[in-house]
Amino acid sequence: MTISIISIVTTATLILNIFLAITLIFLERRDASSTWAWLLVLFFIPIFGFLAYLLLGRQLRKKTLFKWEGRQRVGIENLIAHQMNALHDDEFHFADPHVNDYKDLVYLHLRNNGAVLTQDNAVQIFNDGREKFDSLLHDIEQAKNHIHIQYYIFRLDQLGIRIMNALTAKAKQGVKVRLLYDDMGSRRLRKRHFKEFIKAGGEVETFFPSIWPLINPRLNYRNHRKIVVIDGRVGYIGGFNVGEEYLGLSRKFGYWRDTHLRLEGSSLHPLQTRFILDWNQASARNDIEYDEIYFPAIPKKGDTTMQIVSSGPDEEWEQIKDGYLKMINMAKKYIYIQTPYFIPDPSFYDAVRIAALSGIDVRIMIPNKPDHPFVYWATYSYAGQMLRAGARVFIYDNGFLHTKMIVVDDKVSTVGTANIDVRSFKLNFEVNAFIYDHKVSAELADLFHQDMELSEELTLGLYFARTRLIKTKESIARLLSPIL
């Protein structure tokens, strides 16, 4: 009887695996590397592979997730058309003439993502969590009308409680406060944790919440964005989430090295639009309707030119990755990359490899410790291959490196939430600022140089001297890298 049950279960599992394999090959439009990786998992680890596919493998049905009728009233669509036409006809006026060198990149983001170009921004760079959150809390205290705050991870530890107390106090004063967090990134949070905040008039929404207790069948397709907009005049974008580890208080990670931007200027309009689109997707009853108060006239704050670019699995193209590739291909002198995960797809890998082989000074900085072991060993494997092409690789040794930054030639740079991996390119909802400014880009490059002083350079000799165990870990992680 027992043998019969085992036989039935085994047969059913094999049939399910065959069905999923047929689905992968003939029905889902995946790239070949991802398809082969899933086939290996399904056939070599049948039961686990089936469960893993249910949680991680299913593709997001292409549909319009983000809708907001107020988008037309903001005037963004007309502005996009105007800017594209002016660029196409060589009639666009760049406040900084040097940005003309990157008009192809600007046009790409306009056409590929509807990312309007703004030229009157002030940018403040944070590379330390304490300074970033002190600034954020100060801006929250100054809020007069509304606070829109969105994080992938929001922990109710001492930092999270401090922020929630500040938000609750503003809600009691009549400021409209909205908090959006991702269900998987903030999986310990529940609406009941916000009773006082909601009682004070605050609103809370969850992105792609779990439909089953303790299990979320959509482990992929997470909202990895970190956005804050205060009164439509001050904004934040970058890599820091909310949690004590981002203040360097984690015993496991130590000092947390990240990069975040504080923005003022017309870039707040597209950043506000991005938040509203995300909020309305998550909201069941509390959609944000268009109101001019969310898009105030903003006096000139600076002279930095930039675009706010978002991407996600609901889109046909990989917009942020496309921007990365265009930047790399336009490099003349150097390319600096900082990322916690360097698991490039073939197009990104080839672009960086070709740049290095062409004599471009390519420098890649990765962490010295894993927060996800498989991801780390895949990163180490790709870093080793980059060395062979002539790139320089630095292992950050002063804590954990979480920065998502690329700087090219002291002229153009990008900071945001997108890592160098398939998850950020294809699976997560991400947002980055693409910056066309010598001063800001040079400042980011200077930070990279400072981090080099706190890093160990990985040489071919050190890489080839790695142990057999590390080589084995790399091989396994590399094999699974298309689905990590």
Side-chain angles (χ1 to χ4, degrees), residues 226-408:
K226 297 95 176 167
I227 295 172
V228 177
V229 179
I230 298 173
D231 290 344
R233 297 180 180 276
V234 175
Y236 288 82
I237 182 175
F240 283 107
N241 286 293
V242 175
E244 290 184 348
E245 65 267 39
Y246 300 95
L247 300 178
L249 299 178
S250 167
R251 291 184 179 180
K252 177 181 179 181
F253 296 112
Y255 182 75
W256 192 279
R257 172 65 176 89
D258 220 322
T259 304
H260 221 89
L261 306 178
R262 180 184 185 273
L263 307 178
E264 291 182 275
S266 297
S267 61
L268 268 295
H269 288 181
L271 194 64
Q272 180 82 282
T273 300
R274 179 70 268 163
F275 175 87
I276 293 174
L277 288 167
D278 285 9
W279 176 271
N280 285 358
Q281 191 286 326
S283 171
R285 297 176 299 276
N286 299 313
D287 282 5
I288 300 175
E289 302 293 339
Y290 174 81
D291 192 316
E292 290 182 359
I293 199 68
Y294 299 130
F295 299 91
I298 301 175
K300 181 178 174 65
K301 291 293 182 179
D303 53 12
T304 295
T305 302
M306 65 191 308
Q307 289 173 290
I308 303 297
V309 180
S310 56
S311 63
D314 59 319
E315 300 286 352
E316 182 178 4
W317 310 112
E318 300 161 25
Q319 293 97 329
I320 292 177
K321 187 196 81 171
D322 289 348
Y324 285 173
L325 292 176
K326 187 67 174 176
M327 286 176 62
I328 291 167
N329 291 332
M330 297 178 79
K332 304 296 183 186
K333 297 180 180 179
Y334 77 78
I335 302 165
Y336 295 165
I337 299 172
Q338 283 183 310
T339 177
Y341 318 127
F342 186 76
I343 312 177
D345 68 357
S347 62
F348 192 96
Y349 172 82
D350 286 341
V352 178
R353 177 182 59 84
I354 291 169
L357 289 170
S358 301
I360 303 296
D361 180 9
V362 176
R363 305 185 191 189
I364 302 166
M365 190 176 294
I366 58 176
N368 73 339
K369 60 185 69 175
D371 60 342
H372 304 292
F374 272 111
V375 173
Y376 180 78
W377 293 116
T379 291
Y380 202 77
S381 172
Y382 280 106
Q385 285 196 322
M386 285 292 110
L387 291 173
R388 301 180 188 186
R392 299 176 68 187
V393 175
F394 297 87
I395 312 298
Y396 185 74
D397 210 19
N398 188 45
F400 185 70
L401 181 77
H402 192 247
T403 295
K404 304 96 164 55
M405 181 187 80
I406 300 178
V407 187
V408 172

Side-chain angles (χ1 to χ4, degrees), residues 178-190:
R178 297 179 174 95
L179 170 64
L180 174 62
Y181 65 87
D182 183 84
D183 184 69
M184 184 56 58
S186 308
R187 51 188 171 273
R188 294 184 180 180
L189 284 186
R190 298 291 182 271

Side-chain angles (χ1 to χ4, degrees), residues 4 7 23 61 72 99 119 123 159 186 197 199 209 211 248 285 295 302 315 368 381 384 421 441 449 460 462 480:
S4 177
S7 177
T23 301
R61 186 161 56 93
Q72 294 182 346
V99 181
Q119 305 189 78
V123 178
L159 175 62
S186 308
F197 173 65
K199 184 179 179 181
I211 56 176
R285 297 176 299 276
F295 299 91
E315 300 286 352
N368 73 339
S381 172
D421 62 7
S441 297
H449 289 143
L460 278 172
L462 289 172
L480 296 175

